[in-house]
Amino acid sequence: MTISADASAPVQSARAAILVPFAIVTLIWGSTWIVIRDQIGLVPPSWSVSYRFLVAGIALLAYAAVKRERLPHDARGLAFAAILGVLQFTLNFNFVYRAEAHITSGLVAVVFALLLVPNAILGRIFLGQQLGRQLLAGSALAIGGIALLFIHEARVAPLGPREALLGCGLTLCGVMAASIANIMQGTQTARAYPMSSTLGVAMLIGASVDAGFAWITSGPPVIEMRAGYLLGIAYLGIMASAVTFTLYFGILRVIGAAKAAYSSVIIPVIAMLLSTVFEGYRWSPLAMMGAGLAMAGLVIALRARRPTR
């Protein structure tokens, strides 16, 4: 489940090695918004997040054991895993799950697409990644598309503008936590440790923090024995976490944080397509225009050359 991050290899020669996992990540994450929506209800969000990353962490450590990857056992490795776990698997997901209690899953997906902005800025500041004209042009086009999708979703928000603003604010908090975690993956510290075992430990640390927070704020563990809920936890834990985060962080190390974040640009379009099938979502001309711009920006940005340091 790993991708080579050989800096000497030209991006063009690895195009299939980038686009295939990129497509897998985008398709799976595009489907998660509907599944997360089904998780909201009887079980407090923090417990659902904890169960998800408990499953994901165990799955990744089992995979790492098969590959005989070493665990990050020194202080630096454990600290890196702990910070990553809290940012990516505690803060990010607790904000997102709570946002879906206030706004539609489609609108959460649209707002989260803004991940490309802090990824690009922080990647430039902390990793020295250059933002070429083609990448900036693609980003501007994609942001325009996201804006149109946001306007459409905000207009049809069922709970009103105040709830929409609260939900968007929570989502943006998740975006910032996720962006810092993304930038961490571009550091030399991240490259010093095996991907699967480090992520597995980070997910279990995140799940532990989630569980502690859930117990303090919501009481003892609650689980819904409904088949849909349990299957949702398994899907979110294994496919949408263990598999996708390994692929996504591998992509990020090769093409940079800004371009990797373009998965978040196309995800709202996929989420809305699935919503069309399963939730009766109706496309307006504004939404179709926004989706078209987002996809055009994605194509332009991904054709840009590798960011340099």
Side-chain angles (χ1 to χ4, degrees), residues 161-179:
R162 182 172 297 179
E163 287 291 296
L165 286 174
L166 177 57
C168 291
L170 289 170
T171 306
L172 288 173
C173 290
V175 166
M176 288 306 303
S179 182

Side-chain angles (χ1 to χ4, degrees), residues 81-94:
I83 295 170
L84 177 65
V86 171
L87 286 171
Q88 185 72 68
F89 307 123
T90 299
L91 294 177
N92 172 29
F93 282 89
N94 271 284

